[in-house]
C-alpha cells in the first residue's frame, strides 16, 4: 500500500480482492458503457493554460459548501452497500472524510444506518435520498437523517427506473446474505434475494417511484428544513426548473454512467448547467474524477466542488479507512500541485481562462 502513487491504482487491488459479482457491481456501467469510459476520457480533452511568476508560496484549498467550511473542494459521493467492499463499510468512509475535513454523503442504500454513521464521531454529512412509492418511509428517512445531524439532502432525480447494467444481470447480482440495507430495516424489502434477473433491478422497480416529478421536490421542502441538492441534472432546461423549484444546489451527475448510456460525460455537461444557473445556486460535479487535475478542470469550468464515488469503494476494499484517507490525501496533494503550477493561490483565482477545451482550440488554417 505504501507504493500506491495515484488513485487509479486502487481499482486493480479491489478487483483482485473482491468477489467478481461485487467488483462488477461497483465497476460497471449501463449497456455499452460508452458514458462510463467517456466520464474519464473527456477530462483528457481539456488542457491547461498555466500562468507563471505568481508567488505560489502559500496555497489555500479551503472552501464553503452550503454554509459549511471544508478543507478542500473534494467530497465523497453516495455509493451503495459499502460493506460489500469492507466489513466496516460506510462507517470507515465517514471516519476518513471527517479526518480529511470534508463532506461525506451517505446513500439511502447503505449497509450502515444513518444513526450508525453519525455515531462514528463529528463530521459534516449529507444524506442521499431516493423517493420511494411509500412516502411515509421517505418522510421517516428524512426525519432520521435530520435527527442524526445530517446537513443536507441530496435527492437523486435520474433513477425513476434502474438503468440496464448487464454485468449485474449476468452475475445475478444480489446483496451478500450477511448484509442488509440498514436504512430500510424494519421494512419488508431490506433483504435482496436471488431472482432470474439482477436482484437490484427487481428491488428498485418495486420501491422507487416512477411518477417522481417537480411536485415531489416541493413536497420534500414541506417535510424538511434541510437544504436540498438535486443529483442527476445534465441540462440547462432542468437547471432552470431546479432554480424555480427553490433547491439549494445541483450535482451534475450521470449516476456514474449507470443509468442512461450515451449521455455526455459530466465534465462535458458541466458548463451548460453552470451557465444556466448564472451564479444563483452552486453547481457540483460528480463522475470520473481520478486526479487533482480533474478537480481543477471542474472548478475552472464553474463547479463549486466535486464528489468522488468509485475511488472511495476501491480504496475501501483495498485498505479500509486508511485507503479512503489516502485517496483523499492523494487528490488533495495533486490538486494543490495543479493550483501552484497554474498560478492559483486560492479557489477564487481558478478561472475559465485557465483551461482550453477541445471546441475552443485554434484550428490550423489548411492554407498555411
Amino acid at each position: 500500500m505504501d507504493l500506491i502513487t495515484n488513485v487509479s491504482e486502487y481499482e486493480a487491488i479491489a478487483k483482485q480482492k473482491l468477489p467478481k459479482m461485487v467488483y462488477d457491481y461497483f465497476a460497471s456501467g449501463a449497456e455499452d458503457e460508452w458514458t462510463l469510459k467517456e466520464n474519464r476520457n473527456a477530462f483528457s480533452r481539456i488542457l491547461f493554460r498555466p500562468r507563471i511568476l505568481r508567488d505560489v508560496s502559500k496555497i489555500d484549498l479551503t472552501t464553503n459548501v452550503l454554509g459549511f467550511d471544508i478543507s478542500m473542494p473534494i467530497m465523497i459521493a453516495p455509493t451503495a452497500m459499502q460493506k460489500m467492499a469492507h466489513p466496516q463499510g460506510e462507517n470507515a468512509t465517514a471516519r476518513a472524510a471527517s479526518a480529511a475535513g470534508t463532506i461525506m454523503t451517505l446513500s439511502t442504500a447503505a449497509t450502515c444506518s444513518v444513526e450508525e454513521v453519525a455515531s462514528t464521531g463529528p463530521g459534516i454529512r449529507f444524506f442521499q435520498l431516493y423517493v420511494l412509492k411509500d412516502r411515509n418511509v421517505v418522510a421517516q428517512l428524512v426525519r432520521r437523517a435530520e435527527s442524526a445531524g445530517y446537513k443536507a439532502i441530496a435527492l437523486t432525480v435520474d433513477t425513476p427506473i434502474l438503468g440496464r447494467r448487464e454485468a449485474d444481470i449476468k452475475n445475478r447480482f444480489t446483496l451478500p446474505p450477511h448484509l442488509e440495507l440498514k436504512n430500510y430495516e424494519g421494512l419488508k424489502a431490506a433483504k435482496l434475494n436471488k431472482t432470474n434477473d439482477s436482484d437490484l433491478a427487481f428491488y428498485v422497480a418495486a420501491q422507487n417511484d416512477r411518477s417522481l416529478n417537480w411536485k415531489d421536490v416541493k413536497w420534500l421542502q414541506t417535510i424538511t428544513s434541510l437544504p436540498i441538492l438535486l443529483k442527476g441534472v445534465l441540462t440547462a432546461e432542468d437547471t432552470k426548473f431546479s432554480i424555480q423549484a427553490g433547491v439549494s444546489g445541483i450535482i451534475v451527475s450521470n449516476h456514474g454512467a449507470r443509468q442512461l448510456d450515451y449521455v455526455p460525460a459530466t465534465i462535458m455537461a458541466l458548463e451548460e448547467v453552470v451557465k444556466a444557473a448564472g451564479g444563483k445556486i452552486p453547481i457540483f460535479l460528480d463522475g470520473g474524477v481520478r486526479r487533482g487535475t480533474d478537480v481543477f478542470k471542474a472548478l475552472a469550468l464553474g463547479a463549486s466542488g466535486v464528489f468522488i464515488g468509485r475511488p472511495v469503494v476501491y480504496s475501501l476494499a483495498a485498505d479500509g479507512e486508511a485507503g479512503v484517507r489516502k485517496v483523499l490525501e492523494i487528490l488533495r496533494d495533486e490538486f494543490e500541485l495543479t493550483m501552484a503550477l497554474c498560478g492559483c493561490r486560492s479557489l477564487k483565482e481558478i478561472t475559465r481562462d485557465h483551461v482550453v477545451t477541445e471546441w475552443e482550440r485554434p484550428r490550423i488554417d489548411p492554407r498555411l
Side-chain angles (χ1 to χ4, degrees):
M1 294 299 166
D2 295 344
L3 298 175
I4 286 177
T5 53
N6 69 66
V7 164
S8 296
E9 288 172 348
Y10 279 109
E11 181 171 359
I13 299 168
K15 190 172 185 179
Q16 271 180 328
K17 286 184 92 160
L18 293 172
K20 184 181 188 308
M21 180 188 79
V22 170
Y23 171 77
D24 285 355
Y25 170 76
F26 289 136
S28 65
E31 296 185 355
D32 297 329
E33 299 188 334
W34 181 86
T35 299
L36 183 69
K37 298 178 201 75
E38 182 66 2
N39 266 357
R40 280 298 306 128
N41 294 340
F43 278 104
S44 68
R45 300 195 297 272
I46 299 166
L47 304 182
F48 293 122
R49 299 180 68 250
R51 302 298 307 277
I52 56 165
L53 302 174
R54 306 278 293 176
D55 181 8
V56 290
S57 49
K58 285 200 183 77
I59 296 200
D60 178 13
L61 276 68
T62 60
T63 189
N64 186 286
V65 170
L66 302 182
F68 299 98
D69 292 326
I70 56 173
S71 66
M72 57 181 173
I74 303 163
M75 298 163 281
I76 292 182
T79 49
M81 313 182 208
Q82 291 181 20
K83 277 191 179 177
M84 292 198 305
H86 187 273
Q88 290 177 8
E90 293 84 359
N91 289 340
T93 301
R95 287 192 294 265
S98 182
T102 193
I103 291 165
M104 176 206 180
T105 316
L106 183 70
S107 170
T108 291
T111 39
C112 298
S113 69
V114 286
E115 294 83 5
E116 286 171 320
V117 170
S119 72
T120 59
I124 303 156
R125 302 185 185 104
F126 294 173
F127 180 64
Q128 175 272 333
L129 182 69
Y130 284 117
V131 171
L132 312 175
K133 286 174 187 159
D134 187 339
R135 292 294 193 276
N136 290 330
V137 172
V138 178
Q140 234 174 300
L141 286 170
V142 170
R143 272 199 298 275
R144 283 171 57 195
E146 275 184 335
S147 306
Y150 289 69
K151 303 302 184 193
I153 301 291
L155 176 66
T156 295
V157 291
D158 58 11
T159 314
I161 307 169
L162 202 71
R164 187 173 172 81
R165 303 165 195 175
E166 293 176 5
D168 290 348
I169 295 167
K170 277 195 177 73
N171 294 332
R172 296 189 175 181
F173 172 79
T174 186
L175 186 64
H178 64 287
L179 297 178
E180 283 192 40
L181 299 180
K182 288 296 227 180
N183 291 322
Y184 291 138
E185 236 175 8
L187 310 176
K188 284 175 194 161
K191 278 249 191 279
L192 298 182
N193 301 310
K194 264 203 182 344
T195 64
N196 293 334
D197 212 327
S198 162
D199 238 27
L200 190 66
F202 176 78
Y203 177 79
V204 171
Q207 302 299 318
N208 275 18
D209 192 348
R210 283 189 183 206
S211 76
L212 182 66
N213 64 71
W214 292 102
K215 287 182 192 146
D216 295 302
V217 177
K218 285 290 183 202
W219 170 76
L220 192 56
Q221 288 164 333
T222 67
I223 66 161
T224 183
S225 56
L226 292 179
I228 295 165
L229 300 169
L230 292 194
K231 180 176 180 285
V233 175
L234 292 170
T235 63
E237 295 90 332
D238 284 335
T239 302
K240 286 174 179 157
F241 280 133
S242 302
I243 290 165
Q244 284 165 17
V247 303
S248 299
I250 282 171
I251 302 172
V252 175
S253 169
N254 52 34
H255 212 112
R258 295 156 78 78
Q259 281 300 98
L260 178 62
D261 203 12
Y262 298 98
V263 294
T266 48
I267 193 70
M268 289 290 136
L270 175 63
E271 203 165 21
E272 175 181 327
V273 171
V274 166
K275 283 178 176 165
K280 293 190 180 93
I281 54 172
I283 308 298
F284 304 95
L285 175 119
D286 164 56
V289 173
R290 299 292 183 276
R291 285 276 187 192
T293 48
D294 300 336
V295 181
F296 188 99
K297 289 170 185 180
L299 268 63
L301 290 172
S304 294
V306 304
F307 286 88
I308 56 166
R310 286 186 180 90
V312 171
V313 287
Y314 295 150
S315 57
L316 186 63
D319 199 20
E321 181 187 334
V324 183
R325 282 187 187 223
K326 180 97 181 264
V327 154
L328 291 168
E329 192 184 308
I330 290 170
L331 286 174
R332 183 198 170 92
D333 291 348
E334 288 180 356
F335 177 53
E336 188 171 357
L337 179 71
T338 309
M339 283 178 68
L341 294 178
C342 284
C344 298
R345 292 157 296 200
S346 68
L347 303 194
K348 65 176 182 293
E349 290 188 357
I350 301 173
T351 68
R352 185 62 177 80
D353 293 333
H354 284 102
V355 292
V356 58
T357 56
E358 59 177 353
W359 55 90
E360 299 168 307
R361 284 183 210 160
R363 300 281 177 249
I364 294 169
D365 190 321
R367 289 167 300 182
L368 294 178

